Amino acid sequence: MTFQHFQETAITRFNDFFGSPDILPPAKAKRLLAAMEYSLLNGGKRIRPLLVYASAQACQCDLALADYPALAIEMVHAYSLVHDDLPAMDDDDLRRGKPTCHIAFDEACAILAGDALQTEAFSLLSQPIKGLSATQQLTMLHTLATASGVYGMAGGQSLDLGAVDKDVDLAYLETMHNHKTGALIKASVLMGALCHPQLSQETTQALSDYADAIGLAFQVQDDILDVISDTQTLGKTQGADAALNKPTYVSLLGLEGAKAKAKQLHESALLAIEPLGENAQTLRQIADYIIQRVN
């Protein structure tokens, strides 16, 4: 299967599952629900759901089991973007080429939409899921919660805000992005693998090392694109990090140094999943896809 075919199939599967009438049924708070759906369906390449499905595939699991964690992690990701765009955070007007949630609706509604997307993600994963044991679901919940909180994404966002107008070193930057971006990407890979009832320690370690590498590569790529691309292509304001005087891999390593870093991380990701053989081919293709966008 080509990566394009997998991507199209997985995204169709994701959209069909999200469209199920029992996922987000009609609510009295219609405007809030509209803001949630706007934020969740506002484009995007669905990298995190793709990683959930690809990891489940690598572990030879039924992809139907991956529908729940795929949607749950995208809900958390969408919530993080809604809040990240708020005036108190990055104060951005564009997200994926469209007005950000607080512009399309209003600031209070955007805050509530983010809150609700986050809690609905955990509600989704905590209901009985046919084919998954209570232990598997509990482990998925713990994985997602840890990746979302102070030891994951939220902690990384705090470090990011704390670095504005300050000189930080490469170690600080990597710690920040391993939390802010890498934690949810790693959770995506691990939650897909957790669809398997008896995952070996060797497989878990291989996927964990792969996820660490592509999680950081994804952010290096983002920093490069913020310099070499334009607002229309990015779907968000080009040069936003520079305008806010935020440290990036480009500002610390230079453009060529950042590209070399991305290449090294790509090689590390591929090496990590060599033991998984052909079952991990789609994970390799996702790593290629991430790096190809910066070359």
Side-chain angles (χ1 to χ4, degrees):
M1 181 186 296
T2 66
F3 174 64
Q4 183 179 358
H5 183 223
F6 176 86
Q7 186 179 33
E8 291 171 354
T9 302
I11 290 177
T12 298
R13 177 179 200 96
F14 175 91
N15 290 337
D16 288 347
F17 181 68
F18 174 70
S20 302
D22 56 339
I23 296 299
L24 283 179
K28 289 185 178 180
K30 292 180 180 179
R31 193 161 186 271
L32 173 59
L33 188 61
M36 293 166 65
E37 292 177 342
Y38 176 85
S39 302
L40 191 60
L41 298 176
N42 190 11
K45 295 178 174 61
R46 306 294 188 209
I47 290 293
R48 289 153 194 81
L50 286 177
L51 283 168
V52 175
Y53 287 123
S55 183
Q57 182 186 70
C59 297
Q60 298 178 280
C61 300
D62 182 355
L63 292 190
L65 299 177
D67 288 334
Y68 288 88
L71 180 53
I73 201 145
E74 190 71 354
M75 282 180 163
V76 169
H77 177 55
Y79 123 71
S80 76
L81 298 182
V82 171
H83 282 192
D84 207 33
D85 290 334
L86 288 169
M89 299 278 279
D90 285 350
D91 194 13
D92 227 324
D93 293 342
L94 284 177
R95 171 65 63 181
R96 296 166 177 166
K98 298 178 181 179
T100 48
C101 187
H102 69 276
I103 298 295
F105 292 85
D106 59 64
E107 190 172 342
C109 188
I111 292 170
L112 291 174
D115 292 343
L117 281 166
Q118 181 188 37
T119 51
E120 286 301 322
F122 290 99
S123 175
L124 184 72
L125 269 186
S126 61
Q127 63 183 286
I129 301 173
K130 186 178 180 180
L132 294 178
S133 69
T135 299
Q136 285 171 283
Q137 287 186 235
L138 186 60
T139 307
M140 285 182 184
L141 282 163
H142 179 73
T143 300
L144 184 56
T146 303
S148 304
V150 66
Y151 303 107
M153 180 188 63
Q157 288 176 319
S158 178
L159 291 172
D160 190 14
L161 292 171
V164 174
D165 288 330
K166 293 182 180 177
D167 292 327
V168 300
D169 58 18
L170 191 60
Y172 184 100
L173 195 65
E174 292 198 356
T175 298
M176 178 178 82
H177 287 307
N178 278 333
H179 286 68
K180 182 181 178 181
T181 305
L184 277 188
I185 286 178
K186 187 171 185 175
S188 302
V189 175
L190 295 180
M191 288 167 69
L194 283 166
C195 293
H196 194 289
Q198 293 180 317
L199 203 61
S200 72
Q201 186 174 350
E202 292 77 15
T203 298
T204 302
Q205 189 61 56
L207 292 171
S208 181
D209 291 344
Y210 164 87
D212 285 338
I214 64 159
L216 204 51
F218 190 91
Q219 185 58 51
V220 177
Q221 164 251 10
D222 229 33
D223 288 354
I224 294 170
L225 286 176
D226 195 54
V227 173
I228 68 173
S229 194
D230 54 61
T231 297
Q232 184 175 357
T233 302
L234 288 172
K236 59 182 179 179
T237 307
Q238 187 270 342
D241 288 338
L244 293 170
N245 201 20
K246 285 186 175 184
T248 68
Y249 284 95
V250 175
S251 68
L252 289 184
L253 299 176
L255 184 57
E256 292 308 312
K259 287 184 177 181
K261 178 71 172 177
K263 182 180 178 182
Q264 176 261 312
L265 290 166
H266 175 237
E267 291 170 352
S268 296
L270 297 183
L271 182 63
I273 53 175
E274 270 187 7
L276 303 185
E278 285 303 308
N279 291 328
Q281 183 59 20
T282 305
L283 288 174
R284 294 185 185 92
Q285 291 168 336
I286 292 176
D288 294 344
Y289 173 71
I290 288 171
I291 300 304
Q292 284 167 2
R293 292 177 64 208
V294 302
N295 290 332

